[in-house]
Every structure is written in structure tokens, then in C-alpha cells.
Amino acid sequence: MIVHWTENAIEHLVNIYEYIAINSPTYGKRMVDRITRRSDQIAEHPLSGRKVPEYDAEDIRELIEKPYRIIYRIKPDQIDVLAVIHSARLLQDNI
């Protein structure tokens, strides 16, 4: 299945990189690479992520790539990555 990264999720990735890159551009790139590589798992096994507790909907799921939550929605024709947020932050402020 196709995994589509929404503008919101891409903005989150840019922010993650910029924040980490202040101290280490190399580690910032590695973190973003680790997060985006999870697209393969999402594409192959969309239901492998757990239901997002804040929504309790079958089609909204998350994978954890510590310390981040990758929030995605399963649609019939594609999967949309909605957000990538630090696990210490509130989800409602970021989707």
C-alpha cells in the first residue's frame, strides 16, 4: 500500500531535524531516517501499529520510534501519516 506523508507530518519531521541538528546534524538526519523508514512497515503491515488511545478508532494507528509517535490513518487506497510527535507532547495540539 502507498504511504503518503501529509504536509503536517513533513513539517514535524523538519522540526525534529532542526531541533536535533542544533547539537548534531548527523544525529538529526539519523533520527529522521529512522522515522521515515517505518513507512516500509506501515505499507506492508498497516494494522501492526496500535490504535491511538486518544481516538480509539480502528483506522487511526501509531508506531513508536522512540521517543516519537508516528500517527497514521488507514484508508482504502493509501495510508496517510498524520503526525510525528514526541511522546511527551499532547496529541491534540499536533494533528
Side-chain angles (χ1 to χ4, degrees):
M1 183 153 328
I2 294 170
V3 176
H4 171 258
W5 287 77
T6 64
E7 287 183 31
N8 189 53
I10 292 169
E11 182 179 327
H12 290 171
L13 289 175
V14 169
N15 291 339
I16 290 166
Y17 171 78
E18 288 176 347
Y19 179 76
I20 296 170
I22 291 169
N23 295 313
S24 174
T26 301
Y27 187 68
K29 183 182 180 327
R30 279 190 207 155
M31 187 74 246
V32 170
D33 287 347
R34 282 180 35 206
I35 292 168
T36 56
R37 269 187 267 137
R38 296 304 290 267
S39 292
D40 295 337
Q41 179 181 347
I42 294 169
E44 292 293 319
H45 306 285
L47 297 175
S48 64
R50 71 175 186 168
K51 290 192 303 184
V52 175
E54 293 91 339
Y55 289 100
D56 193 33
E58 284 294 323
D59 64 331
I60 301 177
R61 300 204 164 240
E62 69 180 352
L63 288 176
I64 306 299
E65 185 62 46
K66 287 187 178 183
Y68 297 98
R69 298 169 68 187
I70 305 166
I71 313 294
Y72 62 96
R73 177 183 301 242
I74 302 169
K75 295 180 171 180
D77 58 336
Q78 72 181 28
I79 297 166
D80 289 340
V81 178
L82 304 173
V84 181
I85 62 165
H86 195 282
S87 58
R89 297 187 69 186
L90 296 175
L91 179 61
Q92 290 79 4
D93 297 339
N94 293 285
I95 289 188

